[in-house]
Amino acid sequence: MAALENYLKTALDLNNGSNPVENSDLIVSFGEMLIDFVPTVSGVSLAVAPAFKKAPGGAPANVAVGIARLGGHAAFIGKVGDDEFGHMLADILKENGVNDKGFLFDSHARTALAFVTLRSDGEREFMFYRNPSADMLLTEAELDKDLIQQARIFHYGSISLITEPCRTAHLAAMKMAKEAGALLSYDPNVRLPLWPSAADAREAIFSIWDEADVIKVSDDEVAFLTDGGDYQKDEVIETLLRPGVKLLLVTEGEKGCRYYTKDFRGKINGFAVNTVDTTGAGDAYVGAFLTELVKDFSLLEDEKRLRDALLFANGAGAIATTEKGAIPALPDKAAVLALLNSHV
């Protein structure tokens, strides 16, 4: 508890200590932004659900908004349809202070939709409408190169790898960011219904694995990526810690998270909250962690400071489960600090 008290006093002060970032604290997220339709009643099938709550979402966009809500400097690169839902999503980015220079509209495709079934435990099942959706049609030529090259951290998932031309745009954006000196952050965010097969998903996800500096996976994704391996065994998780990966994070829902580097590993406990919907919790966690990491990359080599940042991330992830939908539930810094203070 003493460590937590010290963290609350010092670790979250944006102006505390020196910051090695000379030119930018910008975190750029790349990928999909869409509309989630979440049943108003948990524990029922999509066919039985009496009504749905419309909520903006899409993992990379969630991360960008999460960063901005916490006071960070975020940008989002992606494409939506030139339709009412697409313009609604554009307004969400603006309202939350996310840089939208790389945000595009496509007049030939619709904004993606996802119907998210909530089980009684708050976990989810998905049904997607993308045939194709506008996010799948982003091309390399449409990328805002200047914005990518300003990124201190470049964050992405794997859904943008499923089809062309977005796959080529994704790979090009990663290359631009890395060559400009950005740290690469990867959350595969496995959604098997979108892939031709589980084998295709696994192959594509691993095709860019070694390029990332920081990778976040969930406990069930560990099982998928290791072909049935037990996520509770360190030796299973460490097969995912490839030589180029500086930090591997494994989220375990309400249990918290685990972290692995070449020098140390450990666990950070989670927070008990009244879980309503887990949609976006992992994105809130990632956004919160990246807001801390962008201040000073050396925390990747300092276990105490890393643990502090992950505690903050766990708090953000926990709060994000207390409301339906992803972006509507993303917390601001005051809410996260209040949760941490309540556990001192």
Side-chain angles (χ1 to χ4, degrees):
M1 288 304 175
L4 176 55
E5 290 175 343
N6 183 62
Y7 175 56
L8 291 169
K9 291 177 182 176
T10 63
L12 296 179
D13 182 356
L14 285 170
N15 299 311
N16 181 48
S18 61
N19 188 335
V21 180
E22 296 179 358
N23 300 314
S24 176
D25 62 352
L26 178 65
I27 304 169
V28 175
S29 284
F30 173 95
E32 69 279 3
M33 189 173 194
L34 48 83
I35 304 291
D36 288 325
F37 286 89
V38 185
T40 55
V41 177
S42 298
V44 299
S45 68
L46 291 175
V48 174
F52 296 86
K53 176 183 178 180
K54 178 183 65 181
N62 295 342
V63 170
V65 174
I67 290 164
R69 290 247 179 105
L70 293 168
H73 185 195
F76 175 72
I77 293 176
K79 185 187 274 192
V80 296
D82 188 8
D83 51 35
E84 289 195 22
F85 283 147
H87 287 279
M88 183 195 91
L89 294 176
D91 290 341
I92 294 290
L93 294 180
K94 291 177 182 176
E95 290 166 6
N96 285 278
V98 175
N99 182 322
D100 62 356
K101 282 184 58 184
F103 188 75
L104 302 172
F105 296 95
D106 193 306
S107 60
H108 302 292
R110 296 294 190 186
T111 301
L113 307 180
F115 286 81
V116 187
T117 302
L118 299 179
R119 301 201 308 252
S120 57
D121 61 0
E123 289 300 326
R124 304 150 296 156
E125 296 173 355
F126 294 88
M127 181 182 292
F128 295 94
Y129 286 76
R130 309 166 80 232
N131 192 36
S133 52
D135 60 289
M136 301 163 68
L137 302 179
L138 181 68
T139 68
E140 180 178 355
E142 292 174 312
L143 294 173
D144 189 319
K145 296 179 182 179
D146 289 340
L147 184 62
I148 293 170
Q149 291 169 345
Q150 291 171 31
R152 182 66 173 162
I153 297 176
F154 186 74
H155 176 75
Y156 48 89
S158 68
I159 289 174
S160 46
L161 297 173
I162 296 174
T163 59
E164 294 290 358
C166 191
R167 175 182 169 81
T168 293
H170 179 142
L171 297 176
M174 281 176 56
K175 186 172 185 289
M176 284 179 216
K178 191 153 194 170
E179 289 179 348
L183 180 145
L184 300 190
S185 166
Y186 183 25
D187 177 359
N189 193 39
V190 178
R191 296 289 179 262
L192 289 180
L194 293 175
W195 293 89
S197 70
D200 287 330
R202 194 178 288 110
E203 180 181 0
I205 287 166
F206 279 127
S207 73
I208 61 171
W209 196 269
D210 295 344
E211 299 298 315
D213 298 291
V214 175
I215 298 177
K216 174 264 175 190
V217 291
S218 65
D219 46 12
D220 59 337
E221 287 171 342
V222 170
F224 169 71
L225 293 169
T226 60
D227 201 18
D230 185 351
Y231 80 90
Q232 298 185 68
K233 295 181 178 179
D234 288 330
E235 58 267 29
V236 171
I237 293 175
E238 287 174 346
T239 64
L240 300 175
L241 188 63
R242 306 285 181 81
V245 179
K246 296 181 175 66
L247 174 65
L248 177 67
L249 299 170
V250 180
T251 53
E252 302 178 284
E254 70 280 359
K255 297 177 183 177
C257 69
R258 286 190 276 169
Y259 59 89
Y260 297 80
T261 76
K262 62 182 176 60
D263 296 319
F264 47 75
R265 68 190 187 196
K267 176 176 174 59
I268 307 293
N269 290 330
F271 295 88
V273 295
N274 181 25
T275 296
V276 173
D277 176 12
T278 59
T279 305
D283 304 326
Y285 170 94
V286 170
F289 176 68
L290 295 183
T291 61
E292 295 300 294
L293 178 60
V294 77
K295 301 174 194 175
D296 188 346
F297 290 172
S298 69
L299 76 76
L300 295 174
E301 301 164 356
D302 183 332
E303 187 172 11
K304 179 186 180 301
R305 290 166 55 221
L306 176 63
R307 289 181 62 87
D308 288 342
L310 293 175
L311 181 70
F312 182 63
N314 278 354
I319 294 171
T321 71
T322 61
E323 183 179 342
K324 290 183 178 177
I327 286 177
L330 295 172
D332 59 19
K333 182 177 288 188
V336 180
L337 291 179
L339 178 64
L340 267 61
N341 270 313
S342 72
H343 286 74
V344 171

